[in-house]
């Protein structure tokens, strides 16, 4: 009997290479802990789905996702999609439909990876479903509009609900990590007095439930500079959608690039493993994409589901995967060219599976 139902959606470009590797690694980890039985549900999405089924996001896929605990979504290369109403960017729809309000993006400098921020160990929690993003912040229509041919308006949406949910995720993470026990709320309330003001007020309200965690606040431009100069002073960071989008790529730059930047979108009922990086069409089909971010995103998903189910086997499998992944990176076994290695996507994944088997 399976006690987990996990979806696998490759996405586009390098997604077809890194997502199967992430699944293979999860299977290897789970094989050592038979109490966690997974039913794997493979679903079409993206450009391949459009070519094969006439739509990049089929209604039956949306229905099936409701029946899962979580899923792995590969990167989506929607910028290259043809202009066709049946070929749409699926990821904002998924984030919104399943209420995946918090996007958890760790930036961790690892031994074995040369990088410009070797002391970095922080997590950015990005609110995922409102802010400036016009593809998801309206019920109908779009908030990016042109009243005249010489004027464009981009409206930003901030709600107490989503700000509080992202803040709660950040405080929970700070408590679990048990490190610096600090949440930094990043905003620009000097200019956006109402929008960022509401965001910050929501963070302060949530902070009252976490007296053991310090809340500090920082203006976004100051934070962008300080994170580069002294990343070690940060623990968990919470911010609005667009600031989080930009700052998490900056944080990835500190720890060795986008291949090292995992992400997990979480909401009250579902979670979606989605690396920070895009579909990298420039390196697609060459078997050189770094699978670290996708494997780690999938591992975070497994860990989140297992914690929710209070399942010791799933938790142990996630821990084994983590240890093996760190070992492969530390020992530079078969790592990909972006990490200075000569390995491939496939060989790096196999090295992680071997490290899991060796325990
Ligand atoms: P999007 O707008 O979809 O987020 P992006 O602008 O962030 O995409 P990416 O597709 O992530 O762009 O690629 C940016 C650069 O990082 C490219 O040169 C790409 O090859 C590189 N890159 C991204 N992901 C990886 C990876 N997993 N391994 C190695 N290089 C990567």
């Amino acid at each position: 009997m399976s006690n987990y139902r996990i979806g696998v959606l490759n996405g586009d470009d390098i997604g077809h290479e890194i997502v199967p590797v992430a699944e293979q690694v999860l299977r290897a980890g789970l094989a050592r802990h038979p109490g966690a039985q997974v039913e794997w549900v493979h679903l079409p999405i993206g450009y391949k789905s459009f070519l094969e089924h006439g739509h990049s996001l089929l209604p039956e896929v949306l229905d099936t996702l409701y029946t899962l605990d979580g899923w792995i979504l590969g990167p989506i290369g929607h910028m290259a999609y043809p202009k066709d109403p049946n070929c749409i960017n699926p990821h904002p729809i998924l984030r919104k439909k399943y209420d995946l309000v918090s996007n958890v993006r760790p930036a961790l400098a690892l031994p074995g990876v040369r990088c410009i921020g070797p002391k970095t160990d922080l997590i950015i929690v990005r609110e995922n479903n409102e802010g400036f993003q016009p593809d998801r912040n309206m019920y109908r229509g779009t908030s990016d509009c042109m009243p005249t041919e010489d004027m464009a308006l981009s409206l930003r949406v901030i709600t107490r609900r989503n700000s509080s949910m992202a803040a709660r995720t950040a405080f929970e993470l700070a408590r679990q990590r048990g490190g610096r026990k600090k949440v930094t709320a990043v905003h620009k309330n000097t200019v956006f007095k109402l929008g960022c003001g509401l965001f910050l007020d929501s963070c302060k309200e949530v902070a009252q439930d976490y007296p053991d965690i310090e809340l500090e606040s920082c203006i976004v431009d100051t934070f962008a500079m300080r994170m580069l100069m002294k990343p070690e002073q940060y623990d968990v960071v919470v911010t609005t959608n667009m600031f989080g989008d930009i700052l998490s790529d900056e944080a990835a730059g500190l720890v060795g690039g986008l291949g090292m930047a995992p992400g997990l979108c979480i909401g009250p009922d579902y979670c979606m493993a989605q690396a920070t990086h895009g579909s990298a069409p420039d390196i697609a089909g060459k078997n050189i994409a770094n699978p670290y971010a996708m494997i780690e995103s999938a591992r975070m998903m497994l860990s989140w589901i297992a914690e929710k189910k209070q399942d010791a086997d799933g938790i142990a499998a996630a821990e084994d995967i983590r240890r093996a992944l760190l070992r492969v990176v530390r020992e530079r076994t078969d790592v990909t060219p972006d990490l200075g290695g000569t390995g491939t996507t496939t060989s790096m994944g196999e090295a992680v599976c071997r490290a899991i088997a060796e325990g």
Side-chain angles (χ1 to χ4, degrees):
M1 262 289 282
S2 307
N3 45 8
Y4 291 63
R5 266 170 70 78
I6 294 181
V8 181
L9 302 95
N10 280 1
D12 298 312
D13 300 315
I14 61 167
H16 296 292
E17 298 158 60
I18 57 175
V19 172
V21 166
E23 181 186 339
Q24 182 192 9
V25 168
L26 252 54
R27 282 179 184 268
L30 287 157
R32 291 167 53 89
H33 299 278
Q37 288 290 323
V38 173
E39 182 187 349
W40 299 92
V41 182
H42 294 91
L43 297 165
I45 202 159
Y47 189 54
K48 193 162 180 252
S49 172
F50 173 68
L51 292 179
E52 290 175 3
H53 308 284
H55 209 292
S56 58
L57 184 57
L58 294 164
E60 44 274 44
V61 168
L62 293 171
D63 291 344
T64 305
L65 293 179
Y66 278 115
T67 69
L68 306 178
D69 294 303
W71 56 92
I72 305 172
L73 176 69
I76 299 291
H78 64 97
M79 292 303 283
Y81 285 3
K83 290 228 169 322
D84 186 303
N86 290 334
C87 199
I88 52 169
N89 176 10
H91 86 234
I93 298 169
L94 298 180
R95 287 174 177 181
K96 186 96 184 167
K97 201 170 180 64
Y98 303 94
D99 206 14
L100 304 171
V101 170
S102 303
N103 194 334
V104 177
R105 294 181 155 182
L108 173 64
L110 293 179
V113 178
R114 276 186 49 185
C115 66
I116 59 171
K119 293 183 180 162
T120 311
D121 178 6
L122 56 86
I123 299 180
I124 294 179
V125 179
R126 164 189 174 190
E127 192 291 321
N128 226 3
N129 281 341
E130 46 188 33
F132 268 121
Q133 270 69 351
D135 54 8
R136 72 202 77 159
N137 69 2
M138 290 280 131
Y139 170 63
R140 213 170 259 159
T142 161
S143 65
D144 199 28
C145 54
M146 291 187 78
T148 76
E149 63 179 329
D150 297 316
M151 184 200 294
L153 300 177
S154 303
L155 302 179
R156 188 171 76 139
V157 176
I158 303 289
T159 65
R160 194 181 299 278
R161 174 190 187 265
N162 282 24
S163 301
S164 302
M165 285 169 78
R168 198 163 290 283
T169 302
F171 277 94
E172 285 294 327
L173 285 168
R175 191 175 266 175
Q176 273 166 30
R177 276 156 68 85
R180 274 151 283 187
K181 294 201 163 190
K182 186 167 85 169
V183 169
T184 306
V186 174
H187 60 89
K188 183 85 178 175
N189 73 349
T190 46
V191 178
F192 296 103
K193 291 187 168 48
L194 300 182
C196 281
L198 177 57
F199 170 74
L200 197 53
D201 280 352
S202 308
C203 293
K204 286 179 185 163
E205 278 162 23
V206 172
Q208 289 176 2
D209 294 339
Y210 298 85
D212 50 323
I213 310 290
E214 176 196 350
L215 171 67
E216 67 169 13
S217 72
C218 190
I219 304 287
V220 63
D221 39 338
T222 308
F223 178 82
M225 183 267 302
R226 286 192 184 149
M227 184 173 70
L228 281 187
M229 296 186 73
K230 239 179 159 212
E232 66 273 20
Q233 69 183 297
Y234 297 110
D235 182 12
V236 182
V237 176
V238 61
T239 191
T240 48
N241 202 344
M242 183 66 87
F243 294 160
D245 186 20
I246 298 164
L247 292 172
S248 50
D249 269 33
E250 186 190 340
L254 280 170
V255 300
L258 283 167
M260 298 304 294
L264 183 68
C265 299
I266 58 181
D269 302 313
Y270 302 98
C271 68
M272 175 168 85
Q274 193 182 16
T276 298
H277 59 72
S279 68
D282 53 333
I283 55 167
K286 296 182 180 161
N287 198 19
I288 55 167
N290 182 353
Y292 175 90
M294 197 73 254
I295 295 172
E296 177 59 6
S297 305
R299 186 206 65 82
M300 287 164 67
M301 175 201 65
L302 174 63
S303 176
W304 187 87
I305 300 170
E307 291 280 357
K308 201 169 146 199
K309 290 181 184 286
Q310 304 252 298
D311 175 38
D313 277 49
I315 294 169
E319 283 168 0
D320 286 358
I321 294 166
R322 178 89 182 127
R323 259 194 306 277
L325 189 55
L326 296 187
R327 183 177 145 196
V328 166
V329 172
R330 187 177 64 243
E331 294 177 357
R332 303 184 58 71
T333 330
D334 278 305
V335 295
T336 45
D338 60 308
L339 299 181
T342 53
T344 62
T345 310
T346 322
S347 69
M348 189 167 162
E350 283 164 355
V352 179
C353 293
R354 271 199 310 279
I356 291 170
E358 285 163 19

